[in-house]
Amino acid sequence: MYNIILVRYGEIILKGNNRSYFERKLISNIKDALKDEEIKIHYSQARIFVEPKDATKINRIIKKIIKVFGIVSVSPAVKIATDLSLIKSTAIKLMEEKMVGKTFKVEARRGDKSFPLTSPEIAREIGGEILENVPGLKVDVNNPDNELNIEVREETYIYLEKIEALGGMPTGTNGRGLLLVSGGIDSPVAGFMLARRGVEVDAIHFFSPPYTGPKAKEKVIDLCKIVAGYSGKINLYMINFTDAQLSIRDNCPKEQMVLLMRRIMMRIAEIVAKEKGCDALITGENIGQVASQTMASMVTTNEVVNIPVFRPLIGMDKNDIIDMAKKIGTYETSILPYEDCCTIFVPKHPETNPKVEKIRESEKHLNLEKIIDDAIKNMEHIVIGE
Ligand code: ATP
Ligand code: MG
């Protein structure tokens, strides 16, 4: 019997003068997420209402809406004319159809002050009707199984369920970042986390054919598609990294491979970011996890760039990252066993406490400028999620 969806947003209300900007962005993001659905959308008194043309599509539409950042929760609702007897009959029908357990309470809000009953009066009146007409129910105001909500406005909205959404800020309200995305568990989660704060995310991936195969590349595209399901369109830049890696292998000490590689990745990412209008890099780095991610290693990779590097997972436990990957749906793809360029030519015992002077010295044996230029010249651009 539901025919409309109520959408609540929280944090953005606090944003003072920016409020209407955030609201407009949020509404436009909802429209984008629902571009394949026939809906009407309108906004009134800090609520967004999404009305499907075909009410049977409501669950499918809700699944899409709750992925839009900036939304706190949604409720499927029945919209009816503001008329007391209609409110009564609809409330009874809804309780009969959707109630769980035995106890309930009624919450009423009167937004339309011309309605003859006050909010507590509406709640009492409708509560009484339900007790009389739906057998086996009891009122429990503290911990009810069912909370029937009645919002009396120009029209009246009645609903029972409240479905949690992801919160955060509407994508596109906080600049643009370039995510260094691997095929691993961490980087897609890092991209998701900044996207949830309103950042538009583009991505860059380094691959090394023929040492890394087409499946590894596909895996990264699939991961970006999943993230784009939340964040909207992602420009994915693919960098062929084979020559860079061969050059390091042939000219530098083996145990420095990982760090030298990562310093070149960061330099290339910075150039691409600046060229493509991204104001920061984003990585899935996490302190102490692996040799390349000790504090000393991070200091060494960080010193080659002059752009903020955001590492949203820096202090998280691996288990929490895995939980989050499962929740957002990237985990199953991330654990597919395809070789990443970071794992080829890598020694069993990479440097964990690098001396930055030694790394700089080794780089003198590389033609950095040419390596970087060539890699960027051959960059491939894939648009994801349009
Ligand atoms: P992830 O699970 O994201 O791969 P990880 O724990 O395997 O992370 P590393 O392999 O050391 O850690 O990579 C650290 C970070 O460097 C990644 O989170 C990612 O941001 C970036 N990175 C690693 N490999 C690549 C790659 N092939 N292309 C682009 N970025 C990469
Ligand atoms: Mg990795």
Side-chain angles (χ1 to χ4, degrees):
M1 64 190 294
Y2 294 131
N3 57 10
I4 197 163
I5 303 159
L6 263 65
V7 177
R8 297 177 198 83
Y9 48 91
E11 197 167 351
I12 61 179
I13 286 176
L14 304 173
K15 290 285 175 182
N17 290 338
N18 284 336
R19 178 174 153 173
S20 74
Y21 165 68
F22 284 95
E23 283 166 344
R24 267 183 282 127
K25 194 73 201 163
L26 181 58
I27 289 171
S28 119
N29 291 354
I30 294 173
K31 282 184 181 161
D32 282 349
L34 300 180
K35 62 180 183 304
D36 297 329
E37 307 288 347
E38 283 190 90
I39 51 139
K40 274 195 297 196
I41 184 163
H42 78 276
Y43 154 83
S44 152
Q45 298 172 24
R47 280 262 206 292
I48 295 165
F49 298 87
V50 176
E51 197 165 358
K53 193 167 174 205
D54 174 358
T56 62
K57 303 282 184 325
I58 226 161
N59 286 335
R60 185 173 86 188
I61 293 174
I62 287 177
K63 278 200 189 110
K64 292 183 182 177
I65 294 180
I66 56 176
K67 288 177 106 178
V68 176
F69 295 127
I71 294 172
V72 174
S73 66
V74 305
S75 291
V78 193
K79 175 175 133 178
I80 50 172
T82 292
D83 169 89
L84 188 58
S85 68
L86 191 56
I87 296 173
K88 284 179 186 167
S89 60
T90 307
I92 290 166
K93 222 156 100 198
L94 190 64
M95 284 301 287
E96 284 172 339
E97 228 176 78
K98 306 277 183 192
M99 68 181 188
V100 290
K102 294 261 172 271
T103 59
F104 79 106
K105 84 168 176 187
V106 179
E107 279 286 344
R109 260 172 307 254
R110 182 180 64 156
D112 172 6
K113 299 295 175 212
S114 67
F115 192 71
L117 304 183
T118 65
S119 301
E121 284 167 354
I122 299 169
R124 221 174 304 126
E125 181 88 14
I126 302 297
E129 284 290 319
I130 291 172
L131 278 176
E132 251 174 58
N133 289 283
V134 187
L137 279 176
K138 274 203 313 238
V139 172
D140 178 349
V141 289
N142 297 316
N143 192 19
D145 300 327
N146 307 277
E147 185 175 302
L148 185 76
N149 287 271
I150 302 174
E151 294 192 12
V152 178
R153 302 167 175 231
E154 216 171 301
E155 322 263 5
T156 292
Y157 302 86
I158 308 185
Y159 60 90
L160 271 168
E161 296 143 81
K162 202 174 199 181
I163 300 161
E164 298 292 316
L166 295 163
M169 316 273 284
T171 303
T173 55
N174 253 328
R176 182 182 292 273
L178 184 65
L179 171 70
L180 284 87
V181 66
S182 69
I185 295 171
D186 303 337
S187 40
V189 174
F192 172 91
M193 282 180 73
L194 281 213
R196 191 169 64 181
R197 298 310 301 163
V199 175
E200 276 180 287
V201 174
D202 286 333
I204 185 167
H205 176 68
F206 299 85
F207 66 111
S208 299
Y211 306 98
T212 62
K215 290 260 192 211
K217 208 169 153 182
E218 246 170 64
K219 178 180 171 180
V220 169
I221 293 173
D222 287 345
L223 286 169
C224 287
K225 279 187 190 158
I226 299 171
V227 177
Y230 301 93
S231 69
K233 175 181 151 184
I234 294 178
N235 292 294
L236 171 61
Y237 304 104
M238 290 290 206
I239 302 276
N240 185 319
F241 208 51
T242 312
D243 286 348
Q245 283 188 278
L246 292 175
S247 188
I248 301 170
R249 184 194 66 180
D250 296 340
N251 296 294
C252 305
K254 219 172 155 60
E255 63 282 359
Q256 294 177 355
M257 180 84 203
V258 175
L259 282 173
L260 288 164
M261 229 168 73
R262 300 192 59 81
R263 279 164 67 103
I264 298 178
M265 280 187 181
M266 294 298 268
R267 289 181 174 105
I268 292 173
E270 177 177 34
I271 294 169
V272 173
K274 288 184 172 162
E275 208 171 273
K276 304 295 179 187
C278 300
D279 295 320
L281 303 181
I282 305 164
T283 79
E285 286 166 304
N286 180 255
I287 199 137
Q289 223 185 67
V290 285
S292 61
Q293 298 182 26
T294 60
M295 178 96 66
S297 299
M298 273 191 236
V299 170
T300 311
T301 46
N302 212 55
E303 73 155 16
V304 299
V305 291
N306 195 5
I307 184 172
V309 182
F310 295 142
R311 301 175 173 90
L313 312 185
I314 196 72
M316 281 172 80
D317 273 352
K318 190 74 185 183
N319 282 339
D320 296 335
I321 301 172
I322 288 174
D323 283 350
M324 195 143 176
K326 287 181 177 164
K327 217 163 113 188
I328 67 177
T330 51
Y331 183 73
E332 293 301 325
T333 306
S334 286
I335 58 174
L336 294 173
Y338 305 121
E339 196 101 74
D340 181 77
C341 74
C342 283
T343 53
I344 58 174
F345 313 139
V346 168
K348 278 216 173 61
H349 301 291
E351 189 78 85
T352 53
N353 193 15
K355 294 276 168 300
V356 76
E357 297 76 20
K358 281 194 182 164
I359 301 283
R360 285 189 204 134
E361 193 53 43
S362 296
E363 278 179 348
K364 289 186 185 149
H365 302 287
L366 299 170
N367 188 345
L368 277 182
E369 206 172 316
K370 181 168 168 33
I371 290 173
I372 292 171
D373 277 359
D374 287 352
I376 293 179
K377 237 182 261 155
N378 294 319
M379 181 169 86
E380 200 188 325
H381 177 197
I382 303 171
V383 177
I384 297 201
E386 246 192 347

